[in-house]
Amino acid sequence: MKNELQKKIEKLLPKVEQPGRYIGGEWNSTTKVFSETPLQMAFCFPDVYEVAMSHLGLEILYGLINEKTPYIMERVFCPWPDMMNLMEEAEIPLYSLESYTPLKDFPIIGFTLQYELSYTNILQMLKIGQVPILAKDRKDDESPLVIGGGPCAVNPEPIAAFFDLFLIGDGEESLPKLLELAEGYLNKETGYLKNKRDFLIDAANIEGIYVPAFFEERINASGSYDGTFLMEELQGLVPNKPRRAIVKDLDKAYFPTKPVVPLVDAIHDRIMLEVLRGCSHTCRFCQAGIIYRPVRERSLKTLLEQGESLVKNTGHDDISLTSLSTADYTQVAPLIEGLMNKYEEHKISISLPSLRVDKFSVDLAKMIQKVRKTGFTFAPEAGTQRMRDKINKGVTEEGLMEALEGAFMAGWKRVKLYYMLGLPGEEDEDISGIMELSKKALTMGRRITGLSNISLNVSVSSFVPKPFTPFQWVGQNSKEELQRKQGILRSGLTGKGKGIKLSYHASTQSVLEAMLARGDRKLSALILDIHQNGCFFDSWDEWFKENTWQESLDRLGMSKEEYAEKTFKRDDHLFWDHLDIGVSKEYLFKEYQKSLEGDITKDCRLGCTGCSLCDQESGVKIDLQGAYSG
Amino acid sequence: MVNYVFLFKVQGSLSYLSHLELMKVFRQALRRSSVPVAYSEGFNPHMKLSFAVAKGVGLPSVGELLEITVIKELDLEQTLETINKNLPVGLEVLVIKKRTETKKSLTALLKRGSYDLSLEGGTRSKEAIKDFFAQESISLMVKSKRVFKEKDIRPFILDWEIVKESESALTIQVVLAQGSEANLRVDVLKEALVNFLGFKGEVEILRRGLYGVKDLLIEEIV
């Protein structure tokens, strides 16, 4: 049955780009009825439909809550600006795709925090959803509870003012417990939670839950930051160091086998089969490599079963074996073989989105290219051995050349190389290294394939220091420095007949990303001001308003450079020190020191490197499905 | 290799899907239903399926046609049941027929399309509607290949009739030239009619069916 809101929305659809983004009704979307469930949650992804529907975390939580609990989870995404304007004119509030329920009518609203530049979209969605933006303005029995989770939740301080609580770590552990608790606090008459403070105290006792309002930043007499602490009056009532939640047995953990199949094309429109979580390499710039540790694998049997159900339940023609490093999966070859044997004749292809730079990965890629041939991407990350050792990217030039040779010999013609600029300790010789390595790769490609017109894509991103990494102390290169380095690459690599296509990210956005990633609570005021001045979709070049950001910064007397370029001292308090994601700060600092020396750290599956993310007591440990010998 | 034609309807919000999106939805539903659709050869094999004609975004229809090539004969009854179990709400296959004559594509056979235009609200005058269709020529600026050109659309309106009238609405059924030789888009006709009448209410359009030279296209192909 169509409700009034749906009728109003349909009137707008002929006027917007890609109306399929706004209609819901996809295969496998939940058939539960909002009004017949004891508690409702809106899962908000602060970006447009195609991006949101490419996100595995959404599918996991959506399936888990809708299949395994009595509650309902519906989806709410950010409308593209054309639709946003029309909705505003027609006074249509932001609504859910399943039941066309206004966002403000959900007792619980959860945002996934995937990248810092999506923060303004969170505020925009609350605004057009008619939900008070500041947590302190959302009263008991009157407003939804707003929660957040995802990778950026490991330092959520810049957005603390907008959220009632954050889920740190694996959400499938903490979210069902949280909803069960919330059900007990639901006032059926108002449809919102009552006694929010009591609720938050109980919630803060669930592992993985952080209530920012219970903590305060301390500033010392000289005006500098002295750490964030649990408030006096809450001592003893809630843990003073919120700890991340983690799935201990990934093989037994819930995984969705009936994911929603988008009607319009999502960016990743395919089956996502998660083979493992975590990563045992210690690339020193990588946050995901730390915060999802330790490595936990699913069994071959489980994955083949899940793969079969997913093929049957979705109708997709591509299975992506996802993880931070799929070639590391101890059963990867038998898994690919098993899937290929079953699905090759049905023209279902396998894709490997995250391959290492080595011959083994090329051999894996050869196994999957029977159905559809895609491009090949390698990520050496840096141009010289010196720099690769500093970031502990276990790649040698020999290894890269061997991998490239294998790829070209096997017939790949489209190859992409990923690098980072502005890494700690980088010098101009490392930039030259990027150029030399790329040219070498191209020459090899032309020689092996015998084609003079093959081209090589070189993609260069700017290093952004992230919390809970060995580089968390290090300041980012200035925008000018990044642009200078990009200029060196541009003049050296591109030009007629050179055969190299260079792409790099806008440097201002990287600076803002760095500011927000390592930021403090003061930034909430900035984000609010920027939002009020009309910024949204900041990660989209066509909507990013650099001047508006700068005007807000100036108005509030803040400097993005000060945040982004700040290098912390060993004993400085970091804005995220009060959160415990399990890693020891000493370990991170030791890794930072090793980087300065150019010392490398081995894959921790070969022997413990002391990060302390495994925890014998609670049973959190590396969980492999087969032997690993390096 | 055998070809089959599906007569299907698309209604509700799913009518807002684009041509390519609708195709994808069918590909996925066919795979879920294990219909043995044939694939093209080459590095990037894709399913052999096509629609008779592109449908405008937002236009509901009870007479769309999809043609597929399969590698073995289908049990029609069972396929109809399975495919409908695997289609999202808003899409339904009504009839499946085996194609015996495959020399020409559905698109090449298509000549006419019939539509319902329901005028709701506003003031509707039957006389004015008659006057509109009685015109010898109806010249409009029509966009074709990104430039506006003057076009007389009257020859492409093959038939019209008021089929239903109530206090709240009036429904006109029209038959328009459709296909590669002569074609009139229904939204262009709607625009002209609304302007002529000075009609201020809502116009709901439904595509009823696609026709060949003599009959409904689904009847002509067997």
Side-chain angles (χ1 to χ4, degrees), chain B residues 51 115 192:
Chain B
F51 290 127
Y115 298 87

Side-chain angles (χ1 to χ4, degrees), chain A residues 285 381-382 418-423 426 434 460-464:
Chain A
F285 53 85
E381 309 287 4
Y418 262 118
Y419 299 98
M420 242 186 255
L421 271 190
L423 286 161
E426 183 178 66
I434 292 178
V460 184
S461 63
S462 301
F463 165 72
V464 176

Side-chain angles (χ1 to χ4, degrees), chain A residues 56 255 271-277 320-326 351 353-354:
Chain A
L56 180 61
F255 192 77
I271 289 169
M272 288 181 272
L273 195 56
E274 188 191 30
V275 299
L276 61 84
R277 211 174 282 181
S320 170
L321 303 181
T322 65
S323 75
L324 291 171
S325 181
T326 298
S351 52
S354 56

Side-chain angles (χ1 to χ4, degrees), chain B residues 5 9 21 29 31 40 53 66 70 72 85 88 91 106 117 121-123 131 136 140 155 159 180 182 207 214 220:
Chain B
V5 175
K9 62 178 182 183
E21 289 158 356
R31 253 185 247 115
S40 65
V53 60
L66 166 77
V70 296
K72 58 177 188 235
K85 270 191 203 152
L91 275 173
L106 290 180
L117 283 80
T123 41
D131 291 345
E136 275 189 17
L140 289 178
D159 199 3
S180 47
R207 186 187 264 166
K214 304 188 289 283
E220 278 194 7

Side-chain angles (χ1 to χ4, degrees), chain A residues 24 73 88 116 204 209 355 374 410 453 487 532 540 561 611 624:
Chain A
M73 181 181 273
E88 209 161 10
E116 293 80 2
I209 289 181
L355 284 176
T374 52
N453 61 345
Q532 286 164 345
W540 293 78
E561 291 78 16
C611 71
L624 305 181

